[in-house]
Amino acid sequence: MTAMAHEPLLQADVLLEGFLALDTPEGFRAELVEGEIVVTPPPDGDHEDYINLITKQVIRRSRTDMDFSGNKGLRLRSGGACPKDHAIPDGTFAPTELRLYRGADSWMPCDGVAMVLEVTSTKPQADRDAKRRCYARGGIPLYLLVDREASSITLFGDPEGDDYREHCTRPLGKPLPLPEPFAFDLDTADFL
């Protein structure tokens, strides 16, 4: 092998090492998504309100007991020569019985996660595209996206490769059916 064949791997390793060593300002989030370091500022109140409204319904109405985390980072598989993606979803839901959020590591594998939640903010295109692909590659069964610019909510399901094969988009204000293990219609009337 030539030295050139090792170059992408070395660049990916350096990028991952640099990312993991970042010291972001308090309240900011740093993620490594498809080979790009993305730093986002603290969310606004409306952003947090959407997360709160969804979390309350999921905890109260799901057929399976669910735990929630808004701060746990996910190590996800990546495509090509990029290092593993490291995303911090606005929300992660997992069956309580799995106790996935335990442990001292701030980055956890995505195995067992039932659904991730993102609410668009300063970089909405990353939530719509790059993060959707990351979550699909990670095999996360469901990705719930509240798109504030489009005034819509989309549930992506059935991950395969770099994307989800199914999606259902509803305007905010209309209910959105969530499949098992949730098995209820998410009420978005209060989102308006």
Side-chain angles (χ1 to χ4, degrees):
M1 275 190 164
T2 66
M4 295 296 280
H6 293 288
E7 190 172 320
L9 179 60
L10 293 175
Q11 288 175 349
D13 290 341
V14 169
L15 181 62
L16 179 59
E17 186 177 307
F19 165 73
L20 292 173
L22 282 175
D23 186 22
T24 56
E26 187 174 334
F28 282 69
R29 285 186 177 185
E31 302 171 285
L32 181 59
V33 178
E34 295 189 333
E36 180 182 344
I37 295 174
V38 180
V39 178
T40 54
D44 62 37
D46 288 340
H47 181 276
E48 294 303 287
D49 188 50
Y50 286 122
I51 294 167
N52 186 45
L53 291 168
I54 291 168
T55 302
K56 284 180 182 177
Q57 288 186 62
V58 168
I59 299 299
R60 290 179 185 155
R61 301 179 64 197
S62 290
R63 184 164 295 175
T64 300
D65 285 340
M66 288 287 159
D67 284 340
F68 170 82
S69 176
N71 299 307
K72 196 73 168 173
L74 296 175
R75 278 187 310 272
L76 303 154
R77 295 181 271 293
S78 62
C82 293
K84 280 191 173 187
D85 293 312
H86 286 67
I88 303 171
D90 291 328
T92 304
F93 296 94
T96 300
E97 66 187 24
L98 299 178
R99 299 182 70 193
L100 292 182
Y101 305 125
R102 294 180 352 179
D105 192 359
S106 56
W107 297 99
M108 68 180 228
C110 51
D111 299 333
V113 170
M115 180 170 71
V116 292
L117 164 65
E118 294 285 0
V119 177
T120 57
S121 55
T122 57
K123 298 184 183 206
Q125 207 55 44
D127 293 330
R128 293 179 191 127
D129 297 323
K131 288 181 102 174
R132 184 190 77 237
R133 290 189 299 268
C134 288
Y135 298 143
R137 278 192 298 270
I140 295 173
L142 299 169
Y143 172 36
L144 185 63
L145 174 65
V146 178
D147 192 324
R148 297 192 296 172
E149 288 179 351
S151 293
S152 66
I153 187 166
T154 301
L155 181 67
F156 296 93
D158 195 15
E160 183 176 286
D162 284 351
D163 213 343
Y164 288 91
R165 297 189 304 177
E166 298 175 1
H167 72 276
C168 176
T169 301
R170 305 286 294 161
L172 293 181
K174 301 288 183 184
L176 176 72
L178 298 180
E180 291 287 347
F182 305 96
F184 72 93
D185 287 352
L186 183 69
D187 182 2
T188 67
D190 289 340
F191 289 32
L192 297 174

